[in-house]
Amino acid sequence: MTRPVSAPVRARRTLLHLISIVIGSLIVVPVGFGVLGGFKDNGQLSTNPLGWPDPWHPENYTGILTDSVFWRQLANSTIIALATVAVVVAASAMAAFVFARFAFRGRELLFTLFAIGLMFPFAVAILPLFILLRSMDLLDNPLGVILPQAAFGLPTTIIILRQFFRTIPAEVEEAATLDGCTPFGFFWRVL
């Protein structure tokens, strides 16, 4: 048997649904206009940007999907994204484990340096980064994209994972140690 919902609860739910619909519309409508714009030629985009395509031009999409350059660029982007994620997750998980589980002199100072990395905007680093990558001969190399993206992704990931690792009870680590796990074994097998 269900209890009747009170009027204030119903009003609150309705308001939340309306807010969700408005926010969803703000996201979906521009994407829809972008997809529709893909079926127009340049003349239609300038004379009737918000209307329906007349005539429809599906060759705008089929031309891209049959072009080998598009697929090569998509493969490059996928490889770079996967490699960046792998580097960020591996490096930041190990660093966060050390910051969360080991007490050593300067730990909080070193962690603060990583936190300061959040305040460093990417736009400020573009010119020095370009010069550094040029001197290392990484301009036409996927590593020239992977390494800077990983470096700028480390601070956020370390902060998030450190807090997560701190929530794991010490008893779990003690039990793993009694079962023969080394600190790295605990990190690899449990965390």
Side-chain angles (χ1 to χ4, degrees), residues 20-181:
S20 297
I21 289 169
V22 168
I23 292 173
S25 298
L26 289 173
I27 295 169
V28 171
V29 168
V31 172
F33 275 115
V35 170
L36 271 179
F39 288 104
K40 298 178 182 179
D41 62 9
N42 289 342
Q44 291 178 21
L45 283 172
S46 61
T47 58
N48 188 12
L50 302 179
W52 289 97
D54 186 30
W56 289 70
H57 292 276
E59 64 270 7
N60 292 341
Y61 287 114
T62 58
I64 289 173
L65 294 176
T66 57
D67 189 9
S68 65
V69 173
F70 168 76
W71 294 107
R72 186 177 65 242
Q73 291 172 346
L74 182 66
N76 288 343
S77 296
T78 303
I79 290 167
I80 287 170
L82 292 174
T84 301
V85 168
V87 169
V88 168
V89 169
S92 60
M94 289 187 281
F97 174 68
V98 170
F99 285 135
R101 293 291 182 175
F102 294 103
F104 56 91
R105 186 177 307 214
R107 175 181 74 170
E108 294 305 316
L109 176 67
L110 194 57
F111 180 73
T112 303
L113 287 175
F114 278 105
I116 289 172
L118 290 173
M119 296 185 286
F120 192 73
F122 187 73
V124 172
I126 288 177
L127 183 60
L129 187 60
F130 174 79
I131 293 169
L132 179 67
L133 292 174
R134 185 178 62 193
S135 69
M136 296 173 69
D137 201 28
L138 290 175
L139 286 183
D140 289 329
N141 190 328
L143 283 177
V145 179
I146 294 168
L147 294 177
Q149 284 184 344
F152 279 93
L154 282 175
T156 305
T157 314
I158 287 173
I159 290 170
I160 292 170
L161 287 177
R162 179 190 189 211
Q163 292 307 111
F164 168 71
F165 290 156
R166 282 185 158 187
T167 62
I168 306 295
E171 291 82 12
V172 174
E173 187 172 3
E174 291 170 7
T177 303
L178 289 174
D179 288 339
C181 266

